[in-house]
Amino acid sequence: MKDLVSAALTAAKERGQDVADVPLTAIAAAAGISRSTLLRRLGGSRAPLDEAVRQAGVDPGGRPPVRERAIEAAAHLVSERGLGGVTLDAVADRAGCSLPSLHTVFEGRDGLLAAVFVQYGPLPDLEALAADPPERLEDTVRALHRTFLAAFAGEPRIIPAVFADLFGRPDGPAARMMAANLPPIIDSLGRLLLPHVEAGRLRPLPLPVLVQLLLGPLLNHVLLRPVLEPVLGDGLPSLDETFELFADAYLRAVTQPGPAG
């Protein structure tokens, strides 16, 4: 197999391509054999050759970029082990990339974890919602609950791991991630809620209070639900029912009495 790896690397260098993008005909020519002979030696598939190239320390290509693979791998490791259990070595091993490439792309572990939070957290959906908000307050509240519910309860479970690290290590990576991402989250929430305050539909409460009333019960429930389900069983409302109960309770708590509300 070493001669085939050498031939593949030579052909890739000559063509300026990744190994995975080089036709087998070109690799066979570099190895001095026919394409059919090459396929017989590989067992009918080029996968063993790509794996042998990878074992030789070269990324054969033909896969998603290192950034995408690393973020996905790190997200699943966070869900399985929590933030404290995620190392760059483990991410590199699962993503099939080198440790130096992670340092180059993310500038260290904190940069990688921050990228995971941005991709799997609520900010992208929240910004999209703020860019095209619903007209009715009730629809806005339910859309916000759906957005945060998807982030809190979706797989891989990133947000619960972030909060676990935040409570356990107030100066850890979760605290740095939250400090970097809270301002745009609060800004998007303000763009969605404050117009209803100005229109007299919502009580003129400080924005942090409006946000805490909106998200506190939902977050508390989602974090505790795995513990409550085996204890309460059928006595625990479904997630959809709970979602509606929290939305109704929020609207009753913060809407202005009178015609505007």
Side-chain angles (χ1 to χ4, degrees):
M1 182 64 79
K2 287 183 179 180
D3 60 325
L4 299 183
V5 169
S6 177
L9 294 176
T10 299
K13 184 177 181 180
E14 290 175 351
R15 298 169 69 95
Q17 294 177 304
D18 289 332
V19 170
D21 296 326
V22 177
L24 287 178
T25 303
I27 296 175
I33 57 178
S34 67
R35 182 178 184 277
S36 59
T37 299
L38 174 62
L39 277 173
R40 281 199 300 273
R41 289 185 60 182
L42 294 176
S45 166
R46 70 176 299 151
L49 176 60
D50 288 343
E51 181 58 30
V53 169
R54 191 174 293 113
Q55 291 296 323
V58 177
D59 187 345
R63 297 188 296 170
V66 167
R67 181 179 181 85
E68 294 180 18
R69 302 201 317 268
I71 289 175
E72 181 180 0
H76 287 281
L77 287 169
V78 168
S79 182
E80 295 166 10
R81 306 178 183 179
L83 291 187
V86 177
T87 64
L88 287 181
D89 284 328
V91 173
D93 182 62
R94 182 168 293 198
C97 62
S98 68
L99 197 58
S101 67
L102 292 182
H103 283 285
T104 299
V105 173
F106 298 103
E107 298 183 351
R109 181 173 178 269
D110 277 5
L112 172 58
L113 293 177
V116 170
F117 184 83
V118 168
Q119 179 159 319
Y120 289 92
L123 186 57
D125 290 338
L126 189 59
E127 289 181 334
L129 184 62
D132 185 22
E135 292 185 9
R136 298 194 323 143
L137 173 60
E138 294 87 343
D139 295 336
T140 298
V141 169
R142 284 175 168 78
L144 284 170
H145 270 174
R146 281 193 295 272
T147 297
F148 280 92
L149 182 63
F152 292 157
E155 293 290 345
R157 290 175 61 82
I158 301 301
I159 304 301
V162 169
F163 274 91
D165 189 81
L166 182 64
F167 296 145
R169 296 189 297 168
D171 59 345
R176 294 190 289 274
M177 291 161 60
M178 293 295 285
N181 286 277
L182 268 181
I185 289 175
I186 295 297
D187 177 70
S188 294
L189 288 167
R191 285 187 284 150
L192 287 160
L193 295 176
L194 292 181
H196 293 288
V197 174
E198 295 166 1
R201 302 183 192 100
L202 281 178
R203 297 179 185 274
L205 299 172
L207 180 60
V209 175
L210 285 173
V211 170
Q212 286 176 315
L213 288 171
L214 175 75
L215 301 179
L218 181 67
L219 174 59
N220 182 62
H221 180 81
V222 172
L223 293 178
L224 289 178
R225 191 174 180 92
V227 178
L228 295 175
E229 281 180 327
V231 176
L232 299 180
D234 294 338
L236 186 67
S238 70
L239 203 52
D240 287 339
E241 291 173 320
T242 305
F243 165 83
E244 287 297 327
L245 290 171
F246 284 151
D248 289 341
Y250 181 74
L251 290 167
R252 287 196 302 271
V254 300
T255 50
Q256 280 277 38

